[in-house]
Amino acid sequence: MEQSIKIQAVIPIPEDQILIEKVELERLKSLELQGRYWSMQDLEERINKKREWIKENILYKPKFKMILDVNNGGFVYYPEKKGQNWSFQANKMAHFLDKNFSEIFSS
């Protein structure tokens, strides 16, 4: 027969902090990005890569472009003329990057 001891402990939580479930934290992070758009500079900062690397390894890779391009129902505006800016729907781009992390960063 296995022996066990039951212990009860009280751990104080500072008033400036709270405990929440991991699922709730992810939901709150997602809400933070809703309705927000990233520029190319925002994306560079987010993934710590320069724009040329991002274009070559993500934005212009045919299989990713099919998903990303707004002209295909995606969430990335690809500039059509010189002087136009890139625009990324932040919450969807963040999800895409997380979901495809290993494929993007493995070569």
Side-chain angles (χ1 to χ4, degrees):
M1 178 176 208
E2 187 177 318
Q3 293 184 10
S4 64
I5 298 174
K6 184 178 180 181
I7 299 174
Q8 241 181 344
V10 176
I11 302 171
I13 300 171
E15 285 191 30
D16 63 338
Q17 297 180 7
I18 62 168
L19 289 177
I20 61 171
E21 293 180 352
K22 201 178 235 185
V23 172
E24 179 66 4
L25 176 62
E26 293 305 316
R27 187 185 75 75
L28 291 170
K29 285 181 184 178
S30 164
L31 284 175
E32 177 185 356
L33 295 175
Q34 285 185 351
R36 182 157 185 241
Y37 296 90
W38 288 339
S39 65
M40 179 60 82
Q41 184 177 347
D42 294 325
L43 186 58
E44 286 177 309
E45 291 171 9
R46 169 83 180 197
I47 64 174
N48 199 29
K49 295 287 185 186
K50 296 290 182 194
R51 89 180 40 224
E52 290 310 314
W53 188 95
I54 293 169
K55 289 177 184 180
E56 183 180 326
N57 293 281
I58 302 172
L59 299 173
Y60 286 121
K61 260 195 171 173
K63 69 179 175 181
F64 291 154
K65 186 173 181 186
M66 284 178 30
I67 297 165
L68 299 171
D69 195 334
V70 293
N71 292 323
N72 298 331
F75 42 88
V76 175
Y77 173 75
Y78 285 71
E80 295 171 4
K81 300 180 215 168
K82 191 172 178 114
Q84 290 182 326
N85 295 320
W86 289 86
S87 188
F88 306 89
Q89 205 171 357
N91 63 333
K92 291 182 180 179
M93 190 66 189
H95 178 73
F96 172 84
L97 293 168
D98 289 343
K99 182 179 170 188
N100 295 284
F101 180 85
S102 60
E103 193 170 350
I104 292 168
F105 289 95
S106 65
S107 296

